[in-house]
Amino acid sequence: MTGPTVVSRSTHGAHSAPSAPSSKVLVVDDEYGVREQLTETFRLAGFDVTAVASGVAALNTAYAEPPDLVVLDVRLPDFDSLEVARILRDDGLDVPVVFLPKPFVLENIVTRVRQILTP
C-alpha cells in the first residue's frame, strides 16, 4: 500500500479549516507508540484529537461525539477496519475514513487529512 485510502467522504455540512478547533479527528490504532505519535502530531497541526486503541472503542467514541474524520489502523485486534468503517456508514455517520497503512509517512497522513477537511 503506497498511501492512505479514503473510504467515504461526507457530502453534507461544511467543515472549517483544518486548524480550527471544530475539526475533530478520531485516531484508532492498537499500538500505543503509533497512537501517541499521531495524536501529538495532529494536535500540533491544530486538530482536536481523540485517540482509542480498538474498533469497539472507535465505534463507541464516534457515536458519543462524531468526529469530522477517522484515521483508522488497517489491522485492529478486535475488528476488521473495513467493518468499522462499514458500521459507521451504515449507522448514518458518513464520516471520511483514512486507512493508516503500515509503514506510513506521518507527513503524508497529515497532508491527506488536511486535504479532506479543507472545504
Side-chain angles (χ1 to χ4, degrees):
M1 194 177 271
T2 59
T5 304
V6 175
V7 171
S8 67
R9 181 175 278 197
S10 179
T11 56
H12 62 282
H15 290 286
S16 57
S19 60
S22 62
S23 293
K24 299 175 192 169
V25 175
L26 174 58
V27 172
V28 186
D29 198 300
D30 61 310
E31 295 179 45
Y32 176 79
V34 172
R35 193 170 59 249
E36 289 299 306
Q37 180 184 34
L38 288 165
T39 299
E40 183 64 19
T41 300
F42 281 119
R43 282 193 178 130
L44 288 173
F47 294 97
D48 180 13
V49 184
T50 300
V52 298
S54 69
V56 169
L59 293 170
N60 288 332
T61 301
Y63 295 142
E65 191 173 330
D68 295 309
L69 183 137
V70 178
V71 176
L72 186 60
D73 184 8
V74 295
R75 292 191 179 117
L76 295 171
D78 61 342
F79 258 103
D80 176 81
S81 57
L82 289 174
E83 185 71 4
V84 172
R86 184 194 63 75
I87 291 168
L88 289 172
R89 184 189 65 238
D90 289 352
D91 287 347
L93 290 174
D94 187 22
V95 59
V97 177
V98 175
F99 285 100
L100 187 63
K102 299 277 177 80
F104 64 89
V105 177
L106 195 53
E107 183 178 321
N108 293 347
I109 302 299
V110 173
T111 298
R112 185 66 185 132
V113 167
R114 281 190 172 140
Q115 288 171 342
I116 293 167
L117 292 178
T118 300

